[in-house]
Amino acid sequence: MKKAAIFFAEGYEEIEALTVVDMCRRAGIDIRMVSVTGAEHVTSSHGVCVKMDAQISDLDFESLDMLILPGGMPGTKNLEQVPALTAQLKAFADSGKYVCAICAAPSVLGHLGILNGKKAVCYPGFEQDLSGAQVLKKSCVVDGNVITARGMGCAIEFSKAIITALADAETAQKTADSVIYRVSEDDQ
């Protein structure tokens, strides 16, 4: 079974983080909520406090297939200030393992040089931080081992891309269908 970790810093965007966790778990993917703060609970930018599964200091990065960054402010800036995380993001990207970021968080990948020569998206206003990337205006972009998405409203698309990468497209679509992601015209 493929394994992923999503990283939480104070001020994360809860929908971007928890939608990924929820959908991956529905799809049967082993995803760990990881605190970069040293605390067992991490609070979002809107005051939602969530208990973590693990601390970054206790994480076995070798066992993981994917690293995921939610956006939010100041969560994104707080994630970028964690050398243990940024070193692993770089190592994962260099080795061809998946690195994923949504909203403002693709800026972290841009600052690390991970987006050089890649297509990517981010929350509007952060485009200048996607150093070396071809910036697109789409909900979610997969370019090789890098997955980026624009923001909270794209969290399900982002989750589907993650599930497709770790499982397959059929599992991703079934998972999205189970949360009634799209209403067909027949249902109206």
Side-chain angles (χ1 to χ4, degrees):
M1 173 188 289
K2 301 281 185 162
K3 294 182 180 181
I6 186 165
F7 297 87
F8 289 70
E10 291 293 320
Y12 65 91
E13 206 313 311
E14 57 275 324
I15 290 176
E16 294 165 3
L18 297 177
T19 298
V20 171
V21 173
D22 180 278
M23 288 189 63
C24 283
R25 289 184 178 171
R26 287 173 190 259
I29 294 168
D30 183 354
I31 185 168
R32 309 282 293 164
M33 295 186 299
V34 181
S35 170
V36 299
T37 70
E40 184 178 22
H41 294 84
V42 183
T43 304
S44 76
S45 59
H46 299 102
V48 177
C49 186
V50 175
K51 183 179 180 195
M52 298 292 107
D53 299 316
Q55 298 293 322
I56 192 169
S57 58
D58 299 327
L59 203 57
D60 175 14
F61 282 94
E62 292 294 318
S63 72
L64 299 172
D65 301 290
M66 179 182 282
L67 305 181
I68 306 164
L69 303 180
M73 283 298 175
T76 295
K77 290 183 186 221
N78 291 336
L79 288 171
E80 193 164 15
Q81 299 305 309
V82 180
L85 176 57
T86 56
Q88 288 296 331
L89 287 165
K90 190 86 170 101
F92 267 57
D94 290 346
S95 70
K97 286 186 171 184
Y98 284 99
V99 292
C100 312
I102 186 171
C103 194
S107 66
V108 176
L109 305 182
H111 297 157
L112 293 172
I114 292 170
L115 299 180
N116 286 332
K118 299 280 188 183
K119 294 176 182 167
V121 295
C122 63
Y123 189 80
F126 285 87
E127 293 88 354
Q128 72 280 358
D129 294 300
L130 304 188
S131 302
Q134 178 186 350
V135 181
L136 305 178
K137 290 188 177 180
K138 294 186 173 196
S139 297
C140 182
V141 172
V142 179
D143 190 345
N145 63 324
V146 176
I147 301 172
T148 54
R150 286 193 88 186
M152 179 181 77
C154 306
I156 291 178
E157 284 293 329
F158 185 56
S159 300
K160 282 178 63 181
I162 288 168
I163 295 165
T164 297
L166 293 176
D168 55 61
E170 182 181 350
T171 301
Q173 190 58 53
K174 283 182 181 178
T175 304
D177 290 346
S178 78
V179 298
I180 310 178
Y181 173 54
R182 300 242 191 247
V183 176
S184 72
E185 290 182 19
D186 296 337
D187 293 334
Q188 296 181 17

